[in-house]
């Protein structure tokens, strides 16, 4: 990993940086067994620590990878808090930021987060606001974008959205409702499959490379169906 010019990160408009939102693949998540694993080892069907609509920590099913590529280098925004918690996400990724003046949490693009903002950090299964002490641009190899049933995930103890590119957590979550519904129905039927068949399905899911077809379709449609003020613009700064 090497530092890059922050201005370059915010004005670069390459497809690799802004066609989706991802975490660095060496981020750490907690699965339901209590084990801490690297994002690159996460699989569809795992239950991973997330946050629900009430802001409480819960374990939520990984239903797909929006994007997954372990061999490419990508630009990330690296955000650190005063406790040393650190998150690396692509610029257009949504991150919940606590606004103490308004006593509310607002989802912002990662490249909108500034020093002295507050991120939500998991401490003993409770989310606590912690002050941002550093925001900088970095390069890292490998990126992962898991989608959970809750639409959120806790990475390196920091709460984050699973979504990017659209500045509304609720709108992004609704857009994946058809897939979540089909996935739920599929899980009901697959629960009756022999264990060997379930293992084949799980292994196939874990080997995904590139953007998922459903996510790719939505990324294409967004420019035609959403007003410009809902869409990420890397040149807005």
């Amino acid at each position: 990993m090497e530092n890059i010019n922050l201005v370059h990160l915010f004005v670069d408009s390459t497809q690799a940086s802004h066609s989706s939102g991802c975490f660095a693949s060496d981020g750490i998540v907690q699965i339901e067994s209590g084990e801490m694993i690297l994002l690159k080892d996460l699989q569809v069907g795992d239950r991973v620590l997330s946050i629900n609509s009430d802001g409480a920590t819960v374990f939520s099913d990984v239903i797909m990878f929006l994007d997954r590529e372990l061999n490419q280098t990508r630009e990330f925004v690296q955000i650190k808090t005063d406790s040393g918690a650190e998150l690396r996400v692509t610029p257009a990724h949504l991150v919940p930021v606590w606004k103490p003046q308004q006593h509310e949490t607002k989802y912002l693009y990662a490249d909108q987060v500034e020093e002295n903002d507050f991120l939500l950090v998991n401490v003993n299964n409770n989310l606590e606001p912690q002050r941002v002490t550093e925001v900088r641009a970095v390069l890292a190899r490998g990126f992962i974008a898991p989608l959970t049933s809750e639409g959120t995930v806790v990475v390196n103890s920091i709460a984050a959205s699973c979504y990017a590119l659209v500045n509304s957590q609720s709108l992004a979550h609704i857009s994946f409702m058809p897939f979540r519904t089909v996935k739920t129905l599929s899980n009901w039927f697959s629960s009756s499959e022999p264990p060997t068949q379930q293992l084949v399905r799980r292994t196939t899911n874990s080997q995904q490379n590139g953007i998922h077809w459903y996510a790719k379709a939505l990324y294409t449609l967004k420019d035609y169906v959403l007003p410009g003020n809902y869409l990420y613009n890397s040149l807005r700064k």
Side-chain angles (χ1 to χ4, degrees), residues 191-211:
S191 63
S192 61
E193 291 180 343
T196 53
Q197 184 61 37
Q198 294 180 30
L199 179 60
V200 169
R201 182 189 300 274
R202 183 178 174 85
T203 302
T204 300
N205 284 331
S206 69
Q207 293 175 344
Q208 175 187 327
N209 266 328
I211 301 175

Side-chain angles (χ1 to χ4, degrees), residues 80-172:
K80 290 186 179 181
T81 72
D82 52 12
S83 71
E86 176 183 302
L87 182 69
R88 283 183 291 158
V89 290
T90 45
H93 203 102
L94 293 177
V95 180
V97 176
W98 169 248
K99 296 291 185 179
Q101 297 84 359
Q102 294 82 18
H103 296 283
E104 66 177 7
T105 299
K106 183 176 182 180
Y107 281 85
L108 300 178
Y109 295 124
D111 69 4
Q112 291 180 313
V113 177
E114 300 178 342
E115 291 184 10
N116 295 317
D117 282 343
F118 290 86
L119 298 190
L120 299 176
V121 179
N122 181 45
V123 179
N124 298 322
N125 293 323
N126 290 306
L127 294 177
E128 299 181 358
Q130 292 188 2
R131 189 182 301 274
V132 173
T133 57
E134 179 182 88
V135 181
R136 65 180 179 132
V138 297
L139 289 177
R141 185 180 180 85
F143 47 87
I144 306 279
L147 175 62
T148 67
S149 296
E150 293 289 343
T152 59
V153 62
V154 176
V155 178
N156 294 344
S157 298
I158 298 177
S161 172
C162 292
Y163 304 117
L165 300 175
V166 176
N167 68 357
S168 169
Q169 173 73 9
S170 58
L171 179 60

